Amino acid sequence: QGGERGASLEAGERRGRGERGRGMAPPRDGPPSLLRLDAMDTPSVLECLRARSERGEVYTSAGDDMLVSVNPFKATAACSDAALDAAVSAAVGRGGGGDDGPPSAFSIGSRCWTRLLATHRSQAVVISGESGAGKTECAKMVFRALVGLSEHSSKHPRASLTAGDGQSSQRPSARVSTTHTSNIEARLLVGGLALEAFGNARTVRNDNSSRFGKYLSCAVDRKGRLAGARIITYLLERSRVVSQAPREAPFHVMGALAGAGYGSHLAAGSARAYVREAPPASEAGRLLRQITDRLSAAGVSKAGVNSIMSAAAAVLCLGEVSFEDAGNEGCTVNAGESARKLAAAAALLGKPDGQIAELLTERLLPLPGAERV
């Protein structure tokens, strides 16, 4: 692997030196590849990226396997369905080689698919950047390209790409929806969106900031069709459940539940301890329906959806519970509203009130050679 990677880098350097001899461009022209700049330094790179961004060209290549993205914070042609169709068509038509077209996140996804089928070796995409750089949307675009190519392989198995197949007679349409993709592809798409509701939140820099790390592993069969996937999450910002910095919000699902309420146990607008500013009831209700619909579309049973939402609502109820110091006896739940909120949380969790109160007010200490005290 090291030898192959070294050969790839050496080839890239030779290609870069060749480009420097032909078709060089000043940074203000904003060439599609940084390798074509007449000066490779920080000011030149930044000027090139700015020039391209002002033209709505938010993606710039930095060699075969690297892409620089500038978040436009608006819809652009590079993120459109037409751009997705073009990237998928190029992947199917070029037979594992040739031009990828304009640089984009779609082309990165299609190139992974192409190389996977041509080499039968695993491919990886690493997406990194500061908060608000556009990592979440970029990851969606890469995955949409994979789904579009998988969909094409399912519809036209004989036209699926293998190394050296050349031009395909079928021109795919990669626009993805749950009505045009197989069940597994649709579940993967909406499952990722549903996951955002429980791990994304508004920050001072980004209204949909991912507050966790995500590793998505996709399995593809020999015909280029998605056969399965696994999402591993890590480093979830758990502290955001109970507190947020000024001008920031909790996870989307918590805000939706606080604004819309949940059944008879959580009234709309009643959870203020963990959610300082809940969205209006109408907006929160729409968001809550969207979350539950996505969970269902991802394959979660109705009972499973209810269990997930009940647990989240119970956390909000527990935030409203206050306690009274009982001296050497520890503490007790305050009577009145706190007791009612505790009862609501217990009902949502399907547990007796006393059991929840005991878990919150008593601590068990394990002692060697004895029962817990």
Side-chain angles (χ1 to χ4, degrees):
Q1 291 182 0
E4 292 180 8
R5 183 58 179 167
S8 175
L9 288 173
E10 183 181 348
E13 291 171 358
R14 288 199 300 269
R15 180 170 54 257
R17 289 194 295 268
E19 289 186 8
R20 291 183 184 279
R22 303 186 303 273
M24 300 308 298
R28 63 178 177 274
D29 290 350
S33 173
L34 295 178
L35 296 178
R36 293 180 56 189
L37 290 175
D38 53 12
M40 184 64 74
D41 52 36
T42 300
S44 298
V45 169
L46 293 178
E47 185 177 354
C48 173
L49 296 177
R50 181 175 63 182
R52 291 182 58 79
S53 179
E54 290 174 349
R55 298 198 302 258
E57 299 170 336
V58 297
Y59 296 106
T60 306
S61 67
D64 275 351
D65 299 322
M66 293 184 65
L67 185 73
V68 181
S69 171
V70 178
N71 192 344
F73 293 101
K74 63 180 180 180
T76 65
C79 307
S80 64
D81 286 339
L84 173 58
D85 287 345
V88 171
S89 296
V92 174
R94 68 174 178 263
D99 187 19
D100 286 328
S104 73
F106 293 136
S107 66
I108 293 292
S110 63
R111 192 179 305 157
C112 282
W113 184 85
T114 300
R115 291 181 179 177
L116 177 64
L117 294 187
T119 65
H120 301 289
R121 297 184 63 180
S122 297
Q123 306 293 311
V125 179
V126 178
I127 302 173
S128 64
E130 63 181 8
S131 179
K135 300 183 295 296
T136 299
E137 294 303 317
C138 188
K140 291 178 186 177
M141 292 174 66
V142 171
F143 187 66
R144 285 176 61 199
L146 293 176
V147 171
L149 287 160
S150 174
E151 181 188 17
H152 177 265
S153 299
S154 298
K155 290 182 177 179
H156 311 292
R158 293 185 179 179
S160 298
L161 179 67
T162 56
D165 275 351
Q167 198 77 5
S168 167
S169 61
Q170 302 287 348
R171 178 177 177 84
S173 174
R175 296 171 189 172
V176 179
S177 68
T178 55
T179 58
H180 294 109
T181 57
S182 67
N183 183 47
I184 186 171
E185 293 158 349
R187 288 172 63 181
L188 289 174
L189 280 174
V190 282
L193 294 175
L195 196 62
E196 289 184 12
F198 294 86
N200 288 26
R202 188 186 78 240
T203 65
V204 293
R205 303 182 64 181
N206 186 358
D207 285 344
N208 190 38
S209 177
S210 297
R211 311 312 301 165
F212 66 104
K214 179 170 63 176
Y215 176 81
L216 172 62
S217 175
C218 297
V220 178
D221 65 19
R222 291 184 176 274
K223 295 183 179 179
R225 299 171 300 190
L226 285 174
R230 180 178 60 172
I231 299 176
I232 301 174
T233 62
Y234 53 93
L235 297 178
L236 178 66
E237 187 186 14
R238 299 180 182 180
S239 60
R240 185 169 290 269
V241 173
V242 298
S243 65
Q244 306 93 41
R247 296 187 296 143
E248 295 197 354
F251 297 117
H252 297 322
V253 66
M254 308 301 279
L257 284 167
Y262 192 72
S264 59
H265 301 295
L266 180 64
S270 64
R272 298 183 178 89
Y274 292 164
V275 182
R276 290 192 299 265
E277 185 179 349
S282 58
E283 179 184 344
R286 178 190 59 78
L287 178 59
L288 196 59
R289 288 190 297 273
Q290 185 182 68
I291 294 171
T292 55
D293 288 346
R294 285 174 174 175
L295 286 171
S296 298
V300 182
S301 66
K302 184 176 181 180
V305 172
N306 290 336
S307 178
I308 292 171
M309 303 310 291
S310 294
V315 171
L316 292 177
C317 289
L318 290 175
E320 306 300 315
V321 177
S322 60
F323 302 89
E324 181 179 359
D325 186 4
N328 293 333
E329 299 299 324
C331 65
T332 59
V333 175
N334 282 331
E337 185 63 19
S338 286
R340 287 190 289 271
K341 291 294 184 180
L342 179 66
L348 288 165
L349 295 172
K351 301 293 183 180
D353 300 6
Q355 183 178 354
I356 301 298
E358 181 180 337
L359 291 171
L360 294 174
T361 58
E362 296 183 8
R363 186 166 67 173
L364 297 176
L365 299 176
L367 298 177
E371 296 183 358
R372 290 189 295 178
V373 178

